[in-house]
Amino acid sequence: MMLALVAALPVLSGFALVLAVPERSRALAAAAGLVLALVVALAAAVAIADARLAIVWTGALGLHAGLTPLSAVMLVLVPLVALPVTVHAALNEEEPALARLVGLMLVFVGGMELVVMADDLLTLLIGWEVIGAASWALVAHRWRDSHAVSSGAWAFLVTRTGDVGLFLAVMVLFAATGSLGFEALGELAGWPLALAASGLLVSAAAKAGQVPFSPWLFRAMDAPASVSALLHAATLVAAGAYLVARVEPHLAGTGFGDVAIAVGLVTAIAGGVVAMLQNHVKKLLAASTSAQLGLMFVAAGAGYPAVAILHLVAHALYKAPLFLAAGLAHEIRGTYALHRLGLGRSTPLLALAALAPALALAGVPPLGGAWTKEEIVSAAGHASLWLSLLVTLAGGLSAAYATRYQRLAFGRGAETPRDRLPSVAALAPILALSAASLGLAVLWLPAVSERVARWLGGEVPAGTVLELVLSLALVAVGIVFGLALAARAPRLGAEGRSAAFSDWLGLPWLLEHAIARPVQGLAHHLGRIDDRALDALPRAVRDASAAVPQRLAAVDNAVVDGGVRLAAALWRWLARVLDRFGELGAEGLPSGSAFLVGLAGAEARRVQTGFSHHYYVILVAGLLAAVAVLAIGA
């Protein structure tokens, strides 16, 4: 039950914050900070206790949660990074709807915790859907800005396209094995294995912003800087790399790792070039996220998922403060244009707070990010010498764009009015994350790193001295190159060809013209064919169906209604005839009776003569008539 609480607590608290906590930044920061601190404690407790959870719906379907060493690390990492980021959001992001923003960030954390603790694909899928929906709402948080709303929908649709792969993997796995557990992936063979592995990799690549899905990360930069820090540090995009590391042991030797390496390597190099060309500070960091996650794909694909997770941890701890620092830079200067920042003189503490994460991103020893990157070089060397060299090249690119970021964003620039400078409270989360990033330097100690690797169920790949020397040399070259770019071409990526190439080397244009427009054209033509050909039969049936009632109505008018009209006419004629007889009977009878009565009266009046002898005669006649009647009756 405690395991379920790790995911449920932030979700329920997120909704409660929206409803119950007023739009006061300090109250929101305190409430969200308290919730995430509790989640960190709970996550650490269940990680130590190796807790498990099973909710069975039917004999075959149910939700199962459990922790491997890799997922235990992630379970603690997610709320640990989210804690300072969410507090920073509550203290620094703009109103209105600040409570809604903070609440959604908590819901997002809960969804990610469900992804991490999932012990089967069905539970993973539910968490996957939660973080997808929450990320859409967070990216489109500034809903009064139509472009932000459009970007949220764009990012959501791209990641949803990749999610189809996860649905496919779930269905194939259940159909082939009758189980949805991760261990069932090892039972697949043939086309079910190919479908499930491909679906999982596509879904992971889409979430992690790997080629060709990378451009959605740029559209997601319309989100507030705190949201970008959360999405890029340990949640949404990290879910893709985590998924590859989680399933790789079950799919080893199936070709899954080779494809993951190819996707990750291409993204690492392309993302490095794009980041180096970018002039938008958040997009620079977004491109670097794709590149670093690509290196994690390489490590996991080479058979070292523990190294991938360690690089994910290091990346989370240095990428989150870099995004938060970029957000504060935007608040001060009112722009994300790299060449217009230069905050080192105005905010030396902010520049210092960003320096350690930037050096970790560059791969400069003894930062923890440098150690994990060198281990990826060694892991790649176990797979192929060429792979190792290309990963080293990607590391050199990292050094170049990280140096350019730090030099232009936090180098010397114009003074800033004091009322625009960030408060110590605003800097505190960045300083805390930077300190945590510095703390990972202990990984350079072999006793520590080997013990950590064993605890994660893996090992530290043995590298060669040549690989290390070459890698560090390329890091040095990258730093020099980054400084040179910052000094001689500060507007690189702001205009001209470099600006065009900085948008993922023209990949969005290529996707628009190679896929989107042809698909729209095909859909248009298919629609016309559907209207003209496929709909012809239904239209004929419809027309025939409409004609039959019309004919039946005509017959009804001519025959049925005609008979009714004829009968009505006959009845009207009969009624008129009977009406005449009725008038004759009703009026003739009283009139005839009156006539006869009148006639009798007239005749009777003629007997009334007034003479007595006439009355005596009548009396005698009546008497004789009575005697005659009596005689006849006797």
Side-chain angles (χ1 to χ4, degrees), residues 384-434:
S384 162
L385 174 61
W386 285 106
L387 180 60
S388 174
L389 293 175
L390 291 172
V391 170
T392 303
L393 174 62
L397 292 172
S398 300
Y401 62 68
T403 303
R404 181 167 175 260
Y405 164 89
Q406 183 67 21
R407 178 66 184 83
L408 288 177
F410 301 106
R412 295 174 65 84
E415 288 285 355
T416 305
R418 294 186 64 83
D419 60 343
R420 296 184 65 87
L421 297 179
S423 63
V424 175
L427 292 175
I430 302 175
L431 290 168
L433 288 165
S434 299

Side-chain angles (χ1 to χ4, degrees), residues 108 110-116 118 120-136 156 158-167 170 182 199-209 216 235-244 246-247 297:
F108 194 48
M112 187 64 191
E113 291 290 70
L114 186 59
V115 169
V116 169
D120 60 47
L121 288 187
L122 182 58
T123 308
L124 178 89
L125 181 61
I126 294 173
W128 207 259
E129 293 296 301
V130 172
I131 62 174
S135 66
W136 164 75
F156 182 69
V158 172
T159 54
R160 292 295 295 167
T161 302
D163 292 348
V164 174
L166 186 54
F167 279 94
V170 170
F182 284 113
L200 289 171
L201 190 58
V202 167
S203 188
K207 274 285 192 289
W216 79 261
T235 51
L236 184 68
V237 295
Y242 168 76
L243 179 59
V244 174
R246 181 72 172 82
V247 302
F297 272 52

